[in-house]
Structures are given as C-alpha cells and as structure tokens.
Amino acid sequence: MYYYIVDPKNLSQRQFERVQNQLYSSLSEFRISGEVSRVTALRSAAQLVLSAESHRAKNIIAVGSDDTLHDVVNAVPDDEEITIGFIPLQPSSFGNMLGINSISSAVKTIAARRTILLDLGSVIQTKVNQKTLFLKNLTFGMELKSDLNKGNLYSFKLISQLFNLPNIEVNFIGDRKFQGTNTLLGGVVFNSRDQACGSSFVNPADGVLDVLLLPKLSKYQIFKYRKHLLSECLENIPGVSILHLKKLEILGPEGLTLRVGTRVLAKAPATIQIEPRKLKIIAGRERMF
Amino acid sequence: MARQQEQPETIVASGMRIEGELKSNGNIRIDGVVAGKIQTAHDIMVGGTAQIDADINAENAVVAGVVAGNITVKGSILIMETGKVAGNISCANLGIREGAIFSGNCKMSEQKQVDLQSEEEQE
C-alpha cells in the first residue's frame, strides 16, 4: 500500500491546486493510488508517518520539497522495512540526484519501483543527545542572511555579506583517529548531492561522508570564487581540504551551527556520522550515482 | 552497493594541522602540518608547504616538503628540489633531485636487488 504525504509548503494555493490535479491524474494513470494525507499547521509530516505506520503502509511517498523528504526520513523508525519514495512539487536537487525532475517522471519511477539503498548521515548534538538524520549535506560557517538573492552574483548586498563572513577556528576529530585544527570560512559535510559542480566524488552509497573544509580567503578570492562558494562547490576553490570519514566530531567553537539549507539541525559540539542502517528509496534510471 | 570501493583523493591543505593517524583508501595530498602516522594503499604527494612529523606508508611518494619520519613505500619515492627528508626510506625505486636534502638510511627492496644482479650477470 502506498501512503502519500503531501506537503504544500512554499506553494501558493493556486500552484498547489494545479500540481495536485497533475499528481492525482498521474497516480491514477499508473495505478499506484493510495491513501493521501496533507501536511497542515496541525499535522506535521512526522505525525503523518506515524499515521502511515498505523495503516501498516510499507511504501511512504513524500510529496513536496527536499524539506518534506527530510522530515519523512527523520520520522521513519529505525527498525522498519519501509520504502521511501519522493515526488518533487518544485525544483529539487534531491529529485535531480534520484533522476526525478517532474511529477510525471517521479510517478513513473514509483510505478517501476526500482529501489536502491542510500547512506544516511546523522548529526548528534552532544549536549542534548538529540539525533537528526540528513540525506544530502550539512553546512557550517558561510552563513548568509536567508532573504538574500543568491541569483545575482554582482549584487552589492551579496558581495558585502560574503566579504564580512567571519573566520572560525574549528577543532575536530576524524574517525576517532586524528585531531585537526584549522581556521576556516566554513565547511560542508556531504552524504550526497547532485552533480552541478562537475565532480562526482560524493557518492551516497559508498559508506563515507565527504568533508570539504574551506580555509579563510582574501577578499579577492571571495569575489573570484563567489559562485562556487554560493553553490557549495568548494572543491573548485584552491586551498580546500577534502577528507573522507565515517565519523566527524566537531569539538568547537562551541555553538557553531550545523545547517541543512537554512535549517539549523545542531550546534557544536556535535558528532556527524554515517548511520549503520541504510535508507531504502525508489530511484529513477537517470540517477546520478 | 560499492562499500569498499576506492576513495577519491584526500587533501590536507595548507593551514590545516592534523595530529594522529591519517588513513585513506585513495591518494593523499598534504600541504599542511601532520604529526603522527600516514597510511594509504595508494600514492602520497607531500607538497612544498607541508611539514610532516610522521611515519608514512604508501604505494608511491613524491616529497616536495619537509618530512621527519620514516617513509615506507612499495614502489618509488621521488624527493624534489625543495624536499627535505630526515628519516629512513624503504622503497623499490629512489629518485633524489639536485638540491633535495636526505638524511637517513635507505633500504631498497629485495626484488630490486635481484633485478640489478640479473642485469649485471647479463652484462
């Protein structure tokens, strides 16, 4: 049985009605209809996953944005043999990675039901011992104001904020084998990503996290490499360290935020690691790994 | 899926300081400071700005920076003009460019010696 968790976040009512019609007709066409629940202010995606469990659904499909998929994955319990699917209602980098870039292609993929196993990253904030899973990447440092238009690379506001990014002295332990220190502008811990950067070393099925650490840069370098900085293609910036780890413990500075997009998942000190369990997810033929 | 596949390059850039055991399944490039032990089944490149106070185990090594420690490789070691090695070297092939500094003992592998002997016999 398919259980669809539909999250209309970031869509206007009109846009949502349009995509909803498209979704329902595609589901009927491929005969994969099931129960549909909608995320509202009163019912979160996590609550709907619990509801799906009570209906003994073995296929939970997140319909919405990358955030919807993130919420669903975090709500699925460890010990369940549940298959996750994803239907993006808006441009989605995770959808691109899975070879799904439209509602029709996503529905077709779910109907074909080709499942793969993906690594899951997790971050545990040491002080509160709270674990959050992530599929794509965690970022620290390089924090820009959320209202900033990143599309215009010549925007005075954008360049001014980039120039004023603080440097941070980061202490970490890698795989419990070595301790590292470096003054950084920021860093990204990748579990998976789409291949917009042109390199393919991040593999969501290789059992390791790929850690990119960006050193402090001169204003000239920041201006020159701002495109890579904004798209988190840090490997294209000279002087970046690249480590491949199963476990990264960020010891300090205390309070350093670890984010997925603009959402803060944890604050240092925190442990980021590959989870022993894998995520069973439906992916398309054109997936990028 | 391919869990044990070869990892891509590990890079310790200039400005990074690492203490402990750095292990990789892929190539390693070091431009920063490392103290402890470095181990890879592939090649290691010690850049001009690197300062290594560690034993190195690798397949091949190119040293353009400073290494204080023993280097053990299965293949070849090349010490570049700017390279400084204070420690013992164990390898099959050794190259030292003019200007490089090497202070220590060098042990070439048995295979290489046999090869040399057979070449001499042929001559």
Side-chain angles (χ1 to χ4, degrees):
Chain A
M1 175 197 162
Y2 289 95
Y3 194 97
Y4 295 89
I5 296 176
V6 182
D7 184 1
K9 200 168 85 177
N10 301 334
L11 292 176
S12 67
Q13 184 63 29
R14 200 171 170 183
Q15 284 172 318
F16 180 65
E17 278 167 15
R18 189 174 52 80
V19 293
Q20 196 178 27
N21 290 337
Q22 198 185 343
L23 174 69
Y24 287 155
S25 62
S26 296
L27 294 179
S28 303
E29 186 187 339
F30 287 95
R31 295 180 182 177
I32 51 169
S33 301
E35 189 153 337
V36 180
S37 292
R38 187 173 161 179
V39 175
T40 63
L42 299 173
R43 288 192 310 175
S44 67
Q47 286 168 318
L48 293 177
V49 169
L50 288 176
S51 165
E53 272 187 278
S54 65
H55 285 80
R56 294 184 183 170
K58 292 291 175 195
N59 301 289
I60 300 178
I61 315 297
V63 186
S65 63
D66 284 355
D67 283 349
T68 315
L69 182 62
H70 175 90
D71 292 342
V72 168
V73 167
N74 268 285
V76 172
D78 287 5
D79 56 347
E80 288 289 336
E81 269 291 312
I82 289 175
T83 303
I84 304 289
F86 180 47
I87 302 176
L89 295 182
Q90 48 197 285
S92 149
S93 61
F94 205 84
N96 288 340
M97 202 192 79
L98 290 173
I100 299 165
N101 37 38
S102 65
I103 293 174
S104 57
S105 72
V107 172
K108 205 173 167 183
T109 301
I110 290 164
R113 219 180 176 291
R114 180 182 293 107
T115 59
I116 55 166
L117 294 175
L118 281 192
D119 291 335
L120 274 174
S122 72
V123 57
I124 303 166
Q125 190 168 330
T126 311
K127 281 190 175 171
V128 291
N129 200 23
Q130 180 192 338
K131 185 198 277 188
T132 312
L133 303 172
F134 65 94
L135 284 166
K136 282 176 63 190
N137 61 281
L138 274 184
T139 307
F140 55 90
M142 306 184 296
E143 192 166 5
L144 298 170
K145 285 180 183 162
S146 57
D147 61 338
L148 202 63
N149 175 16
K150 293 182 185 175
N152 181 7
L153 290 174
Y154 291 93
S155 152
F156 176 77
K157 208 174 163 185
L158 173 71
I159 293 168
S160 163
Q161 274 203 36
L162 287 172
F163 281 173
N164 289 315
L165 286 174
N167 292 313
I168 37 180
E169 176 82 22
V170 177
N171 298 310
F172 63 91
I173 295 174
D175 283 339
R176 296 215 158 162
K177 285 186 176 162
F178 63 85
Q179 184 158 358
T181 52
N182 202 355
T183 304
L184 303 172
L185 204 57
V188 187
V189 182
F190 285 106
N191 178 38
S192 65
R193 74 171 174 189
D194 57 30
Q195 291 179 6
C197 302
S199 57
S200 58
F201 68 85
V202 178
N203 184 342
D206 61 0
V208 290
L209 296 166
D210 304 286
V211 183
L212 276 69
L213 303 171
L214 179 67
K216 58 181 177 184
L217 299 174
S218 66
K219 284 186 177 171
Y220 170 72
Q221 286 174 312
I222 288 176
F223 184 78
K224 187 176 177 186
Y225 298 111
R226 65 195 185 285
K227 189 180 170 188
H228 299 310
L229 217 153
L230 292 167
S231 57
E232 295 182 337
C233 297
L234 302 187
E235 70 270 31
N236 296 329
I237 302 174
V240 167
S241 294
I242 302 176
L243 303 169
H244 310 282
L245 304 169
K246 285 183 187 295
K247 191 175 204 173
L248 174 71
E249 293 164 71
I250 298 185
L251 307 175
E254 201 171 323
L256 177 70
T257 56
L258 304 170
R259 314 180 307 273
V260 167
T262 53
R263 192 192 284 197
V264 175
L265 290 196
K267 288 184 177 181
T271 302
I272 306 161
Q273 62 187 4
I274 282 282
E275 283 291 291
R277 76 160 168 137
K278 299 230 172 193
L279 180 72
K280 200 171 167 190
I281 194 163
I282 300 169
R285 274 181 194 275
E286 284 96 39
R287 68 178 192 268
M288 293 180 170
F289 51 90
Chain B
M1 287 174 77
R3 181 166 268 276
Q4 291 300 323
Q5 70 181 16
E6 182 188 320
Q7 281 180 11
E9 192 169 43
T10 294
I11 302 174
V12 177
S14 174
M16 169 86 77
R17 185 181 180 85
I18 281 178
E19 284 177 35
E21 188 183 351
L22 183 64
K23 217 171 178 180
S24 172
N25 291 330
N27 295 334
I28 299 179
R29 182 185 170 92
I30 295 174
D31 291 308
V33 179
V34 179
K37 196 175 177 184
I38 303 168
Q39 201 171 342
T40 175
H42 290 261
D43 301 344
I44 182 166
M45 167 72 198
V46 179
T49 57
Q51 288 201 339
I52 296 176
D53 187 2
D55 291 339
I56 297 173
N57 269 280
E59 181 68 34
N60 298 293
V62 176
V63 180
V66 179
V67 178
N70 300 328
I71 305 175
T72 306
V73 296
K74 287 181 187 164
S76 59
I77 295 180
L78 176 61
I79 307 175
M80 307 294 283
E81 294 88 338
T82 54
K84 290 179 187 174
V85 177
N88 300 328
I89 288 176
S90 173
C91 61
N93 294 297
L94 174 66
I96 301 178
R97 292 266 173 89
E98 193 178 333
I101 297 171
F102 170 43
S103 170
N105 297 320
C106 178
K107 187 183 171 191
M108 310 292 280
S109 68
E110 202 66 31
Q111 182 63 44
K112 184 68 182 173
Q113 285 172 2
V114 170
D115 289 346
L116 284 171
Q117 279 171 3
S118 62
E119 279 171 19
E120 281 169 8
E121 280 167 13
Q122 282 173 1
E123 283 171 10

